[in-house]
Amino acid sequence: MKKTSEKVINKIKKDDIKPKPFWYFIAFKLLLYIISIIAILLGGLALSLVSYLLINQDWSFASPNIFYLIPYAWLLILIIIYFLAYFNFKKFPRTYKFTKTQLLTFIIFASILIAMFLNSANLPEKLHGSFCQKSRAYQQIFDSQTRPWHRPGEGFISGEIIAIYDDKLLLRDLNRNNWEIIVKKPYFYEIGSSWRFIGEKISDNQFEAQQSRPWLRQKRR
Amino acid sequence: MEQKSDKDLVKLSLSDKEAFLPLMRRYEERLFRYILRISSFSQEEAEDTLQEVFIAIYRNLYNFDERLSFSSWAYRIAHNKTISRYRFKKARPQTVNIENTDVNKLISHINLEEEVNNKILSKKVLSILNHLKTSHKEIIVLKYLEEKSYQEISDILKKPIGSVATNLKKAKESFKSNWLKNN
């Protein structure tokens, strides 16, 4: 009976089997490096946005439900990026020598450094502002700063003041719905300014305000 | 050709197909035995798997990392091919193919202080080995039957050395507790 080695060498010769070319493996490694760099950069960007949204959240005058204040959409994206980066790093030829904890620590540490750099350049604020202006869907999902204030049924509403009457204001909310806000001193407000109100919804387009606070930053539309 | 190191033969094989033959001969028996030990394959299936392993090694010669020993790389490919073959067959290995001499070797390493010189005891050992988790069985086979170092096992299974040591400890404990239950 022929030995396996002889059968294999005959098959290699007969079928003219050749080693995969050198460039194939170089290209694969290059791809791994590119994906890793992109994943780390995206991780840094997501982390910078999460930290920006958390740091600039108005924790003092907020919702009773902390869930609304957490930028969970960006947090979820950040976790997904970390896992993708981790599984990509695992494909490197020598990374099996490191434990999961060591690899994840490296990825998280690298993304923290990038996030710090992006924060110092004020990029998260600019990006978040730009995304919010361009996409209402983005604002509804990702903007944890304004989202808690779009729950009129629970007593929270915010938006831009578009008209002022003797005993009330006309407010345009995030969803572009107009609301009549009953306030004690309408003359106190300015058209075009953005405000948050706590109070009670009294009909489908009427809200009685008990407390109000301006947006510290420019309200996004 | 027979005098050359594995790494030299790998380099030569890239330009000369014939140079791959002595390399295969060096590992033929070892890898065949290893495939049988970690699978439930028949001799024919193990031989088919070994052929696949050698073809895969040949196709990936440019990917051989010289920082690794060729032996570890070949065992890793054999391990992966064996696992993917039985996954493809949708049958996990049920029995381990090891000889009585292997059983004695295993028993002495796991410090069970038993004299294993009869077939009944050998059958017990095999039965316990077959009931271990696949990961435990693999690591016991590599350490005590293939006599690989921690570094080599780490390279073959692509796990950190610390995890190899921990898994081996767990595998030994599992083997011992099963042994004590059955005696």
Side-chain angles (χ1 to χ4, degrees):
Chain A
M1 196 174 129
K2 257 189 184 175
K3 280 196 151 189
T4 310
S5 54
E6 280 154 20
K7 286 182 192 168
V8 172
I9 201 74
N10 289 339
K11 187 175 168 60
I12 287 173
K13 285 181 193 164
K14 191 180 147 216
D15 298 348
D16 194 25
I17 296 170
K18 290 190 171 88
K20 287 179 195 164
F22 184 59
W23 63 259
Y24 173 89
F25 298 104
I26 294 293
F28 181 71
K29 278 175 195 162
L30 199 64
L31 188 69
L32 282 183
Y33 278 111
I34 291 169
I35 294 173
S36 300
I37 291 168
I38 292 173
I40 293 281
L41 287 175
L42 287 179
L45 181 66
L47 186 63
S48 71
L49 281 157
V50 168
S51 60
Y52 163 75
L53 290 169
L54 283 175
I55 291 165
N56 290 285
Q57 184 60 274
D58 189 353
W59 298 94
S60 62
F61 187 67
S63 145
N65 188 347
I66 200 161
F67 173 77
Y68 287 99
L69 306 181
I70 305 293
Y72 61 85
W74 273 118
L75 265 177
L76 185 68
I77 289 175
L78 180 64
I79 291 166
I80 291 169
I81 291 171
Y82 280 162
F83 275 97
L84 289 177
Y86 169 75
F87 287 112
N88 190 61
F89 269 90
K90 287 285 279 181
K91 291 194 187 306
F92 279 91
R94 309 283 285 177
T95 40
Y96 66 87
K97 291 185 179 288
F98 301 101
T99 61
K100 270 181 205 163
T101 316
Q102 286 171 326
L103 271 183
L104 281 171
T105 306
F106 169 76
I107 292 165
I108 292 169
F109 186 70
S111 71
I112 288 173
L113 286 181
I114 290 163
M116 284 166 72
F117 172 75
L118 295 177
N119 279 337
S120 69
N122 240 4
L123 200 72
E125 187 178 357
K126 287 175 195 164
L127 271 180
H128 183 68
S130 163
F131 290 158
C132 284
Q133 277 179 346
K134 284 177 185 158
S135 163
R136 204 180 305 160
Y138 172 88
Q139 190 175 12
Q140 284 171 344
I141 297 166
F142 290 89
D143 193 357
S144 58
Q145 292 170 336
T146 54
R147 193 176 50 236
W149 297 95
H150 289 279
R151 293 176 294 139
E154 292 172 51
F156 300 90
I157 195 167
S158 82
E160 183 188 354
I161 293 167
I162 54 171
I164 298 171
Y165 304 106
D166 289 343
D167 57 348
K168 61 192 173 194
L169 311 166
L170 197 60
L171 183 97
R172 180 165 291 165
D173 73 7
L174 179 73
N175 298 325
R176 305 255 172 186
N177 296 322
N178 291 346
W179 288 83
E180 286 179 8
I181 309 289
I182 299 161
V183 289
K184 285 176 186 158
K185 298 171 184 172
Y187 55 84
F188 185 71
Y189 302 89
E190 276 179 30
I191 291 174
S193 60
S194 296
W195 284 78
R196 296 170 283 179
F197 298 95
I198 294 179
E200 194 182 347
K201 180 184 172 185
I202 48 179
S203 75
D204 282 349
N205 65 345
Q206 277 195 319
F207 189 93
E208 188 170 353
Q210 282 146 15
Q211 291 181 57
S212 69
R213 181 174 282 196
W215 281 104
L216 299 175
R217 59 191 168 85
Q218 183 57 46
K219 171 76 177 68
R220 298 181 189 101
R221 275 171 278 174
Chain B
M1 204 72 98
E2 301 296 328
Q3 309 290 315
K4 290 195 183 294
S5 72
D6 290 350
K7 286 176 187 174
D8 289 339
L9 285 175
V10 167
K11 279 179 194 158
L12 275 173
S13 303
L14 289 165
S15 53
D16 177 11
K17 286 175 181 171
E18 285 295 338
F20 193 56
L21 187 59
L23 197 55
M24 281 192 286
R25 281 189 183 136
R26 262 178 217 181
Y27 287 93
E28 193 164 15
E29 276 182 36
R30 276 189 267 176
L31 292 180
F32 183 70
R33 207 175 46 222
Y34 176 61
I35 292 166
L36 281 175
R37 280 170 174 172
I38 61 164
S39 72
S40 59
F41 295 165
S42 64
Q43 300 269 323
E44 291 74 28
E45 281 174 309
E47 199 188 308
D48 288 348
T49 310
L50 184 61
Q51 283 191 36
E52 279 179 28
V53 170
F54 281 138
I55 300 280
I57 289 174
Y58 185 70
R59 297 267 294 141
N60 290 284
L61 280 178
Y62 275 116
N63 198 31
F64 171 56
D65 182 349
E66 288 195 17
R67 288 171 293 182
L68 272 184
S69 71
F70 178 81
S71 165
S72 298
W73 189 58
Y75 267 83
R76 184 194 290 174
I77 293 175
H79 177 261
N80 292 344
K81 283 281 169 196
T82 308
I83 283 174
S84 59
R85 196 176 172 101
Y86 69 66
R87 275 191 189 145
F88 179 72
K89 286 175 67 186
K90 291 184 180 170
R92 294 187 71 77
Q94 297 299 311
T95 55
V96 181
N97 298 288
I98 57 176
E99 293 141 21
N100 283 352
T101 48
D102 292 333
V103 171
N104 280 311
K105 213 184 317 181
L106 181 62
I107 288 292
S108 70
H109 278 299
I110 297 185
N111 302 322
L112 288 170
E113 293 170 3
E114 300 268 356
E115 277 294 316
V116 185
N117 50 15
N118 64 66
K119 283 186 180 176
I120 298 166
L121 214 47
S122 298
K123 269 187 187 171
K124 271 187 187 172
V125 170
L126 289 179
S127 158
I128 289 167
L129 209 50
N130 287 328
H131 283 93
L132 290 182
K133 271 167 67 180
T134 310
S135 59
H136 287 169
K137 192 160 61 186
E138 277 169 3
I139 208 158
I140 285 180
V141 166
L142 281 169
K143 181 69 186 161
Y144 300 120
L145 304 184
E146 299 296 327
E147 299 183 319
K148 298 289 179 193
S149 68
Y150 279 33
Q151 182 61 62
E152 286 171 314
I153 298 173
S154 158
D155 290 335
I156 293 165
L157 298 179
K158 293 185 90 175
K159 287 189 189 307
I161 288 188
S163 303
V164 169
T166 312
N167 289 347
L168 185 63
K169 192 173 171 235
K170 282 182 190 164
K172 279 166 75 174
E173 281 168 3
S174 174
F175 188 95
K176 265 190 182 179
S177 74
N178 277 297
W179 177 269
L180 294 172
K181 262 187 226 164
N182 288 287
N183 283 286

